[in-house]
Amino acid sequence: MASPATGYFRPGESWLHRRDPLTKLLALGWVLLAAFLLPPLTLALLAILILVVATTTGLLRPMLRALRIPAVLIGSILVVNAFFFPGAQDIIVRLGPIALSREGLAFGVVSAGRILVAFSASILFLFTTLADDVLESLVARGASHRIAFVILSAVQMVPRLQDRASAILEAQQARGLAVSGSFATRVRALVPLVGPILLGSLIDVRERTFALEARAFGASTHRTAYRVVVDPPIDRWLRLGILAAMVATVVVGVTGPLA
């Protein structure tokens, strides 16, 4: 299970782990732009690229296991678009009031592919990047510490909720509540889980607010970093290349010469 402090980060010494967090953040931004702006054929190339990166970093199996998270979303995109695409003309199979259309199926595959590529790239970023390093890297380059903290909180939000939900479930199970078994039993176990999670989240926000105030979070004086993130010289050239690729992707996506 992900730790609230480290998020989904998996320690390692791969070439991707050694890259500067800002380099990886820009690379993730480029993948997202390419997935949603470039023609559908690009999705296959991006998927191959992500698989190669995951394989060379030893994270292929964890990434494939993590694909269970968006499985329901991807499946619903395929089904809804395939059977309920508005204005579809090329019908493959008709099942009473609904029909499987070629246009809907093509649109659903492309949309699901974009979600899949975006999720895979994002999970690789989270697997190889420590959230604290992202904050320090952004602040060291002049970014507002408030914005950096918002990014850090967003990265840590899901692991913190998972950790809190696990602790609540274990406590309720110790008191005799059935939390496993049939689907209906698991659904019933969610009802007493929602309240403590919401209340605990509000208490956590208040405690973090007090802690930030005690550490003069809003002070405008110069801050001294407690950790230094290594920025290899090659990363500076990589960032320039990624920025150029992002500009080219936006230009191609807007003008559409490859469409």
Side-chain angles (χ1 to χ4, degrees), residues 3-237:
S3 168
T6 61
Y8 293 101
F9 177 71
R10 293 171 177 262
E13 297 295 332
S14 70
W15 63 270
L16 190 57
H17 283 84
R18 295 193 298 269
R19 300 280 69 79
D20 182 81
L22 185 58
T23 304
K24 290 181 280 189
L25 190 61
L26 288 176
L28 174 61
W30 172 75
V31 171
L32 297 180
L33 284 176
F36 287 92
L37 292 182
L38 296 183
L41 181 61
T42 310
L43 293 174
L45 301 177
L46 290 174
I48 294 174
L49 175 62
I50 291 173
L51 287 175
V52 171
V53 172
T55 302
T56 56
T57 55
L59 294 171
L60 181 59
R61 285 189 177 181
M63 187 190 73
L64 293 178
R65 286 197 299 266
L67 293 182
R68 294 176 299 179
I69 299 175
V72 175
L73 174 61
I74 292 174
S76 63
I77 290 175
L78 286 172
V79 172
V80 171
N81 283 284
F83 287 96
F84 302 100
F85 192 76
Q89 300 296 328
D90 191 356
I91 305 300
I92 301 176
V93 178
R94 184 173 294 278
L95 302 173
I98 63 176
L100 175 64
S101 64
R102 196 176 303 276
E103 300 97 320
L105 187 60
F107 184 81
V109 169
V110 172
S111 300
R114 285 172 173 161
I115 298 298
L116 185 62
V117 167
F119 179 86
S120 301
S122 300
I123 204 67
L124 277 181
F125 172 79
L126 295 176
F127 279 168
T128 58
T129 311
L130 193 61
D132 289 345
D133 289 345
V134 178
L135 185 147
E136 295 297 341
S137 181
L138 291 174
V139 173
R141 289 170 174 81
S144 170
H145 59 278
R146 292 181 174 86
I147 296 177
F149 180 75
V150 169
I151 297 175
L152 175 66
S153 299
V155 172
Q156 292 180 336
M157 180 178 65
V158 174
R160 293 178 72 89
L161 289 178
Q162 286 182 333
D163 185 71
R164 187 178 299 277
S166 177
I168 293 173
L169 280 177
E170 291 176 357
Q172 292 177 342
Q173 191 173 15
R175 290 171 174 81
L177 178 67
V179 297
S180 61
S182 64
F183 178 76
T185 301
R186 295 183 180 184
V187 171
R188 286 194 298 269
L190 291 177
V191 177
L193 179 66
V194 174
I197 286 181
L198 292 178
L199 183 60
S201 298
L202 294 176
I203 295 175
D204 181 63
V205 170
R206 186 186 65 175
E207 292 178 349
R208 298 183 76 180
T209 301
F210 290 158
L212 291 174
E213 290 180 354
R215 289 165 174 79
F217 183 73
S220 57
T221 57
H222 178 71
R223 297 171 179 272
T224 302
Y226 74 96
R227 58 189 297 152
V228 178
V229 180
V230 179
D231 183 15
I234 190 176
D235 278 46
R236 301 168 191 174
W237 295 102

